[in-house]
Each structure stands twice: as structure tokens, then as C-alpha cells.
Amino acid sequence: MSTYRIAPSILSADFARLGEEVKNVVAAGADIIHFDVMDNHYVPNLTIGPLVCEAIRPHVQVPIDVHLMVKPVDRIIPDFAKAGANIISFHPEASEHIDRTLQLIHDQGCKAGLVFNPATPLHYLEHVLDKLDLILIMSVNPGFGGQSFIPQALKKIAAVRQMIDASGREIMLEVDGGIKVENIADVARAGADTFVAGSAIFGKPDYKSVIDAMRSQLAAV
Ligand code: DX5
Ligand code: ZN
């Protein structure tokens, strides 16, 4: 595994200065901007929508990775595609027709991802692995930043890594929740290649020193 990507979650950014925040975190070495969308229905929190995605789009060249924690999902997907999202992922529990939602994301010209909560079984992958560009394993229950990493996620990451390798397809394996300098190497060893981190980066004064420290942990894996 050679290509690792750091995806800061703007959930922990200063929303009053969001343009500056995303520019700064990309200058500090972020590979992707992770954009958490919560609806106070599928998850007990309410965040940001397509207007905010559109507003930050001109400030960054890196991909915007939209993590939809909303139910239903289909209606909002074209809006995010128009707002400049590059990757759109959703939770299988939030879609009545998972295959159709994946198709809809691709039809809008975006990469498609499926997200697994800590207690969501992986069996969906048997049926849709060939349609995925990204698999996102939640290492916390979705809804809030700043929670602790659930260690059982490591086994799940390893299982997904085997499935991806067996498929021979290029699928990003992203992990979200409680990732920090101290545990990023364990997550990489389990098989992840893309690391979401919100509070670990935006909660600190110097984004570059955190991202550099994460990269040196990853270089030693
Ligand atoms: C949780 C979100 C995460 C969250 C990660 O529902 O999907 O992206 O912002 O935050 P940290 O890194 O603080 O756990
Ligand atoms: Zn997320």
C-alpha cells in the first residue's frame, strides 16, 4: 500500500471562516476535503448542504468527498453534483434502492461510495462491489465529531481490504471517526488508505504539523 490520503473533515472547522479554513488545510497537505452532511433525521445533528459545498468549491483544487448522513438520499444527490462534489457516499440504511442510488451518483459524474456504521453488516458488498469507487468504514457512530475510535472497526477494515484486493478493482478504503496521529498507523495496517480526521486536525492550531505527523506515522507502516 503506497498511496495514503488524508481527508480532513470540515465538521470541526471554524464555519465563520470556512473558505480560509479549507484553503489552509489544503496548504497544510490535505489530499481531500471531507464534507459531512447531517439532516437531524438519519443522524441526530444538522450541518451543511449543497450551498456550502458550492461556496467552498472555488477555494480548493482537491476532491470534495461528500459524506451523506441523510435519509432519503436520492433527491439531494444532483444538487451536490452541481455544487462541485467529486465523491458522494451514503449509508445503505438510508436508501430504499442502493443500486439505483449508486447509478444516480455515477450518472451525475461523481464517484460513488457506500458507508458502513459500526453495526452495519458488510453483506451489501457482495452485490454492489463492482459499482463502488469508495468504501467508508465508520469507526464511530455517525452524527458528531470528537468521538473515540471504536477498535472493532479494525477487523472490519481488514475484511474489506481482502474483498477489495480479491476484486482486483481500484476502490478507496476510507475510515472515519476518532482518527489521530496516535492510531493512524494501526488503521493503515488494517488496510485503510484514506483517513478522515476532523477534531485531530481542525482542533489544533497548526494543521501542517498534525498532517506531517500523520504522514510520518504512515511512512513507517
Ligand atoms: C461523524 C463524521 C466524521 C467526523 C469525524 O459522523 O462523519 O467525519 O467529523 O470527526 P473526528 O475526526 O473528530 O472523529
Ligand atoms: Zn464523515
Side-chain angles (χ1 to χ4, degrees):
M1 188 60 47
S2 52
T3 313
Y4 290 123
R5 303 172 201 89
I6 309 274
S9 160
I10 59 171
L11 189 59
S12 294
D14 178 352
F15 280 93
R17 307 165 31 246
L18 199 51
E20 203 184 318
E21 287 276 73
V22 291
K23 262 193 244 174
N24 288 345
V25 87
V26 170
D31 300 295
I32 291 175
I33 294 292
H34 185 80
F35 191 102
D36 285 307
V37 184
M38 304 183 186
D39 68 348
N40 187 40
H41 170 69
Y42 178 64
V43 291
N45 200 356
L46 184 64
T47 60
I48 46 180
L51 281 176
V52 177
C53 185
E54 193 179 353
I56 64 167
R57 179 70 280 179
H59 294 282
V60 288
Q61 304 299 317
V62 301
I64 298 179
D65 163 33
V66 172
H67 174 192
L68 293 178
M69 289 162 273
V70 306
K71 187 177 180 174
V73 290
D74 290 6
R75 210 219 51 79
I76 203 76
I77 285 169
D79 296 2
F80 273 106
K82 283 190 201 85
N86 303 91
I87 307 166
I88 300 179
S89 57
F90 64 98
H91 292 247
E93 301 89 341
S95 169
E96 296 292 341
H97 306 286
I98 295 163
D99 185 86
R100 177 182 286 156
T101 303
L102 292 169
Q103 189 61 50
L104 175 61
I105 295 170
H106 284 144
D107 288 349
Q108 297 292 316
C110 296
K111 291 188 172 173
L114 202 57
V115 191
F116 293 85
N117 286 332
T120 303
L122 294 174
H123 60 70
Y124 296 99
L125 292 176
E126 281 170 38
H127 310 287
V128 294
L129 197 67
D130 59 324
K131 305 212 168 85
L132 295 178
D133 304 296
L134 174 141
I135 298 169
L136 172 50
I137 299 298
M138 293 304 298
S139 40
V140 297
N141 286 292
F144 301 94
Q147 305 180 77
S148 299
F149 185 90
I150 297 173
Q152 284 78 5
L154 294 173
K155 266 170 97 178
K156 210 168 190 178
I157 296 161
V160 175
R161 168 49 58 203
Q162 282 195 351
M163 288 184 214
I164 294 174
D165 289 350
S167 79
R169 297 194 67 242
E170 268 207 29
I171 303 174
M172 293 161 69
L173 176 41
E174 185 174 43
V175 180
D176 185 1
I179 294 188
K180 307 184 172 341
V181 173
E182 293 72 29
N183 62 12
I184 197 168
D186 291 340
V187 180
R189 258 181 239 112
D193 53 40
T194 305
F195 308 88
V196 175
S199 51
I201 295 175
F202 284 108
K204 300 280 160 55
D206 182 355
Y207 306 159
K208 186 167 186 318
S209 71
V210 180
I211 293 174
D212 286 351
M214 287 178 164
R215 287 207 199 281
S216 46
Q217 290 291 317
L218 292 171
V221 168

